[in-house]
Amino acid sequence: MRRTAITLLATLTIATALSAVPAQAHDRGMGKGAGKGLGMENCTATACHFDVAPGTYDVRVRLGGDTAASTGITGETRRTLLAETPTGAGEPVTRSFTVNVRTPEGEPTGAEGTPGLDLVVGGSAPALADIRVTPAAARHTRRIFLVGDSTVCDQPGDPYSGWGQQLPRYLRKGVSVANYGDSGESTVTYLADPRLFATVQPLIRRGDLVLIQLAHNDKQTDEATYRANLETLVAGVREEGGRPVLVTPIVRRWFNSDGTLNNGTALLVNGLGVDHPAVTRSVATAHDVPLIDLTARTKALVESLGVEGSKALYLYNEKRDNTHTSAHGATAYAELVRDELLAQHLVPERLVR
């Protein structure tokens, strides 16, 4: 069918005043005159590329056309930036979001990815009528850094998806997600590898949120070390003026015969008997750190869906994997995080979808 999206090049009006940031500019300062720079853009019916430097950018899109449409926007390493949005015939809508551009663009220890900002136009009947990308003003932009493992990170390929990869869909212009989750990391390795916390820490500005979820790979970390590592991460965030938020790990889909997840495998008790969620809760209380109890929230959801219904949250059907989430599961878990950010007043309601 020749819908509006198929003739996108004939109808698309990209703002020609796109501001390119000087190569040396970064989130701590976009560079003198950054808002006056020039830029070039290229869009097809399914994708747009903007030649910009690492930093934080506001994106405004106008969706819809002469026929009914349904359009979503993903970007960089498969991040969902705007959930699929239906529009009626002749009834376009405008949506805005803020996106983090970095190198590497996905997992910190992974491939560098493509320089600049790449956006993919998708949905069941996509129609993009207009787009504009501008540098986000630091004083008006909140940032959420994510410190985590493979259940959090921007997964590079299907069918995997981390909940941090889906979190941007629940946020509006004015707040960005900088996902520094990385597959296979524990509290030990996240502190030891210079590409991880040593890279994240100096990027943190006063007022930034830093969500910390590490436990799945602390399989042989003793309790004292695990506790000390969480305390080190919390202190490191606070040193930069950021606000740490401890997040207990998502459950593994490992049922008892009675239909509950009341066992050590599901609830992240490691081989040494260390109860990771309990230690995380204890550190949060001891150091007055906001806590998102994602273990409790995901446990309740998985148990409510039951043995069969919960398979779709994970990669059981595809990989017999009861730890890593599908895009559907990651989206559901990101929604739980969104709910907690709102309930605890960590992000203003006006910035949340």
Side-chain angles (χ1 to χ4, degrees):
M1 292 187 300
R2 285 197 165 271
R3 309 190 72 112
T4 304
I6 303 303
T7 58
L8 181 62
L9 286 176
T11 61
L12 184 65
T13 41
I14 302 295
T16 57
L18 175 66
S19 299
V21 181
Q24 71 274 16
H26 206 279
D27 280 331
R28 283 190 176 275
M30 300 302 287
K32 184 177 180 180
K36 299 178 182 178
L38 299 175
M40 293 298 294
E41 65 289 331
N42 292 296
C43 283
T44 68
T46 58
C48 296
H49 172 77
F50 300 91
D51 186 15
V52 296
T56 306
Y57 295 87
D58 291 331
V59 180
R60 185 182 69 203
V61 294
R62 189 167 176 82
L63 308 176
D66 295 336
T67 59
S70 188
T71 313
I73 306 290
T74 59
E76 298 296 90
T77 304
R78 304 176 58 242
R79 303 177 215 161
T80 302
L81 300 169
L82 184 68
E84 189 163 344
T85 303
T87 50
E91 299 177 349
V93 300
T94 299
R95 295 287 185 269
S96 297
F97 53 87
T98 301
V99 61
N100 169 255
V101 177
R102 61 182 181 273
T103 303
E105 69 179 35
E107 296 180 87
T109 65
E112 287 197 1
T114 305
L117 171 60
D118 289 286
L119 301 176
V120 177
V121 183
S124 57
L128 177 64
D130 184 67
I131 188 169
R132 179 179 173 84
V133 176
T134 56
R139 66 184 181 277
H140 297 311
T141 303
R142 297 168 183 255
R143 299 186 303 174
I144 301 175
F145 287 89
L146 303 182
V147 168
D149 53 32
S150 59
T151 67
V152 179
C153 75
D154 288 349
Q155 289 280 0
D158 286 329
Y160 296 89
S161 182
W163 62 256
Q165 204 163 14
Q166 302 297 332
L167 186 60
R169 70 191 292 152
Y170 293 115
L171 302 171
R172 299 179 185 273
K173 175 187 173 183
V175 58
S176 68
V177 175
N179 189 351
Y180 283 83
D182 197 73
S183 294
E185 306 301 343
S186 65
T187 58
V188 175
T189 60
Y190 207 93
L191 286 167
D193 192 324
R195 295 170 294 181
L196 299 171
F197 193 63
T199 294
V200 175
Q201 187 180 12
L203 300 177
I204 299 169
R205 294 196 305 254
R206 182 166 299 279
D208 288 339
L209 291 180
V210 183
L211 276 56
I212 302 166
Q213 185 216 279
L214 288 166
H216 279 272
N217 300 298
D218 280 279
K219 297 174 183 178
Q220 294 300 317
T221 307
D222 63 79
E223 182 169 337
T225 301
Y226 184 67
R227 180 182 298 273
N229 288 344
L230 290 179
E231 291 172 339
T232 297
L233 289 165
V234 166
V237 172
R238 285 176 167 168
E239 284 175 13
E240 303 298 331
R243 189 174 188 187
V245 179
L246 288 173
V247 183
T248 59
I250 68 169
V251 294
R252 296 189 182 102
R253 184 189 161 278
W254 198 266
F255 281 92
N256 293 333
S257 59
D258 63 359
T260 70
L261 300 180
N262 296 324
N263 61 79
T265 299
L267 300 181
L268 281 296
V269 178
N270 77 5
L272 302 179
V274 179
D275 186 330
H276 293 105
V279 175
T280 304
R281 296 177 189 118
S282 175
V283 172
T285 299
H287 295 276
D288 193 26
V289 179
L291 175 77
I292 295 178
D293 198 340
L294 201 53
T295 306
R297 296 294 302 271
T298 56
K299 178 179 187 289
L301 177 58
V302 171
E303 288 180 341
S304 71
L305 293 173
V307 174
E308 290 301 318
S310 63
K311 288 179 178 178
L313 295 174
Y314 292 83
L315 296 176
Y316 180 85
N317 294 323
E318 299 87 348
K319 303 283 186 178
R320 294 298 187 266
D321 186 333
N322 292 306
T323 297
H324 297 98
T325 47
S326 62
H328 168 67
T331 301
Y333 289 175
E335 185 175 3
L336 297 178
V337 173
R338 184 275 312 269
D339 291 347
E340 287 295 315
L341 292 173
L342 269 177
Q344 298 188 43
H345 307 290
L346 296 170
V347 176
E349 185 173 356
R350 63 183 172 81
L351 296 179
V352 175
R353 295 190 195 278

